[in-house]
């Protein structure tokens, strides 16, 4: 991947490399991961570069209300689910492109709004947290 500003290319490459070890990381997750090997990196550097990388399309920013932004490198259309108890984020596959196209058409028909980018997110409780809630030992 080529970036216009070569000055920070080393930091950006470290950030991209962190995605190989982290799943839907926050900026803080990436910072902590990189800091283990490169203690001189700053959190501000990670935030600044993630912002640039998201704007340039190198990474995708995933936003949930009340939660820190998360990032990923996956480029295929998919939805996300976040657990409101533990904060885990997972990809949701299996939603047909036909269904998504119909959803876009429905938005356009109802609002006159042409969808160019769709972010489909679900908030709820994951299976692990539901299992813990059903177990009296975790109550």
């Amino acid at each position: 991947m080529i970036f216009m500003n070569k000055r920070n290319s080393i930091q950006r490459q470290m950030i991209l490399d962190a995605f190989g070890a982290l799943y839907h990381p926050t900026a803080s997750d990436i910072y902590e991961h990189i800091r283990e090997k490169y203690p001189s990196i700053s959190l501000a550097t990670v935030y600044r570069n993630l912002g640039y990388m998201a704007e340039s399309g190198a990474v995708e920013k995933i936003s949930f209300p009340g939660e820190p932004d998360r990032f990923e490198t996956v480029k295929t259309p998919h939805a996300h689910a976040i657990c409101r108890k533990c904060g885990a984020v997972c990809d949701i596959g299996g939603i047909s492109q036909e269904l998504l196209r119909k959803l876009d058409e429905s938005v356009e028909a109802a609002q006159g709004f042409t969808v160019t980018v769709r972010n489909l997110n679900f908030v709820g409780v994951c299976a692990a947290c539901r299992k813990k809630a059903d177990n009296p030992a975790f109550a």
Side-chain angles (χ1 to χ4, degrees):
M1 179 151 307
I2 298 173
F3 294 100
M4 292 171 23
N5 181 351
K6 292 185 179 192
R7 183 177 135 214
N8 292 325
S9 63
I10 294 169
Q11 290 91 341
R12 288 190 189 122
Q13 189 58 54
M14 288 189 288
I15 291 168
L16 283 173
D17 292 345
F19 283 99
L22 303 170
Y23 187 69
H24 295 117
T26 64
S28 295
D29 294 334
I30 293 169
Y31 166 71
E32 291 298 330
H33 179 79
I34 295 172
R35 198 169 67 106
E36 290 175 11
K37 289 185 181 178
Y38 303 98
S40 63
I41 195 162
S42 72
L43 183 58
T45 296
V46 172
Y47 271 107
R48 182 176 60 255
N49 281 283
L50 280 171
Y52 176 81
M53 293 164 74
E55 285 179 22
S56 71
V59 299
E60 298 282 332
K61 181 167 70 169
I62 308 164
S63 298
F64 293 99
E67 295 288 328
D69 290 336
R70 294 178 178 264
F71 299 87
E72 68 180 351
T73 57
V74 175
K75 298 296 181 187
T76 56
H78 62 280
H80 295 98
I82 185 168
C83 179
R84 61 182 171 85
K85 296 225 179 246
C86 70
V89 176
C90 64
D91 292 333
I92 300 174
I95 299 175
S96 75
Q97 293 304 309
E98 177 65 17
L99 177 61
L100 294 173
R101 186 185 60 73
K102 286 181 180 180
L103 181 61
D104 292 347
E105 290 172 356
S106 177
V107 169
E108 186 163 1
Q111 301 296 321
F113 185 87
T114 300
V115 177
T116 57
V117 175
R118 176 190 334 99
N119 295 309
L120 188 55
N121 299 318
F122 299 88
V123 178
V125 180
C126 70
C129 287
R130 280 196 330 267
K131 187 175 180 180
K132 285 179 190 175
D134 292 341
N135 186 337
F138 291 100

